[in-house]
């Protein structure tokens, strides 16, 4: 078997690529929330949390854009690969099920885990590179995302109950 060797990237190049990809992930999250928000209108707590998360994601977009700019990453970057990865994650999480609030809430839980893992990678890279200011920013955003994931986890039972009520 022949192996294809890829060009080795420096830690800085890996960090820059991960920042680019995370920016795309958060952009996709904002787009998804804007699409899903009207569907959650009959779920007051979920709707409120989605509005909160939308505001948080927009703030994260701005912060990640600032990190990208500080690192001198040329825009626009290749979003084709990132979009492909996001589409694959999304299709795995949705599993071809119908598009409803319950399915979307379950998919959001998986998507948040993906975002947290992305933050974990960025934090490890920033630490390796000695980017202390980036570490502070990334850690803060990761904690916010983690808090959002925990809210969804704690409230999934109530979302299911409300979903069943709305189905009758």
């Amino acid at each position: 078997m022949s192996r294809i060797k890829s060009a080795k990237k420096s830690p800085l190049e890996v960090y820059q690529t991960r920042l680019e990809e995370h920016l795309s992930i958060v952009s996709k999250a904002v787009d998804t929330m804007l699409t899903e928000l009207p569907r959650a209108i009959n779920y007051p707590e979920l709707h409120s949390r989605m509005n909160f998360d939308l505001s948080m994601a927009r703030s994260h977009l701005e912060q990640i854009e600032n990190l990208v700019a500080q690192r001198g990453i040329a825009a626009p970057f290749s979003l084709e690969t990132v979009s492909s990865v996001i589409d694959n994650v999304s299709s795995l999480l949705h599993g071809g099920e119908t598009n409803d609030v319950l399915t979307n809430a379950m998919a959001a839980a998986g998507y948040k885990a993906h975002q947290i893992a992305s933050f974990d990678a960025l934090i490890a890279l920033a630490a390796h590179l000695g980017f202390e200011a980036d570490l502070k920013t990334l850690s803060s955003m990761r904690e916010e995302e983690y808090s959002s994931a925990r809210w969804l986890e704690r409230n999934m039972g109530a979302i299911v109950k409300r979903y069943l009520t709305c189905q009758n």
Side-chain angles (χ1 to χ4, degrees):
M1 290 180 126
S2 71
R3 292 190 173 189
I4 299 173
K5 292 187 178 184
S6 61
K8 289 190 175 186
K9 292 183 178 182
S10 71
L12 179 58
E13 290 170 320
V14 173
Y15 182 65
Q16 290 172 329
T17 299
R18 293 298 323 146
L19 279 175
E20 291 173 351
E21 290 176 356
H22 197 83
L23 184 60
S24 181
I25 289 167
V26 177
S27 294
K28 180 69 173 174
V30 167
D31 290 344
T32 300
M33 281 186 266
L34 288 170
T35 300
E36 300 302 324
L37 198 56
R39 290 186 179 120
I41 197 73
N42 293 323
Y43 301 75
E45 295 84 10
L46 179 61
H47 192 265
S48 175
R49 185 61 196 212
M50 287 176 71
N51 274 311
F52 178 84
D53 285 352
L54 180 59
S55 176
M56 177 183 70
R58 286 177 169 154
S59 172
H60 287 186
L61 265 180
E62 184 177 323
Q63 291 174 73
I64 294 290
E65 286 171 347
N66 287 339
L67 292 177
V68 166
Q70 289 171 9
R71 297 292 158 220
I73 299 170
F77 29 80
S78 173
L79 295 179
E80 292 172 8
T81 301
V82 175
S83 294
S84 175
V85 168
I86 290 170
D87 289 344
N88 287 339
V89 169
S90 180
S91 68
L92 285 173
L93 295 175
H94 281 283
E97 298 174 36
T98 58
N99 196 7
D100 61 39
V101 170
L102 183 56
T103 300
N104 293 337
M106 291 184 295
Y111 199 73
K112 287 182 179 302
H114 180 75
Q115 287 181 289
I116 292 166
S118 179
F119 275 125
D120 289 343
L122 284 166
I123 289 166
L125 287 161
H128 176 80
L129 292 165
F131 295 159
E132 294 300 320
D134 291 23
L135 265 173
K136 183 179 178 185
T137 300
L138 292 166
S139 294
S140 175
M141 287 188 290
R142 187 221 184 267
E143 287 308 309
E144 290 173 350
E145 196 61 50
Y146 183 77
S147 175
S148 177
R150 294 294 69 85
W151 182 93
L152 189 55
E153 180 181 312
R154 284 189 314 272
N155 287 277
M156 188 60 75
I159 294 168
V160 170
K161 286 179 184 176
R162 181 71 180 148
Y163 175 82
L164 293 173
T165 300
C166 289
Q167 294 300 303
N168 294 328

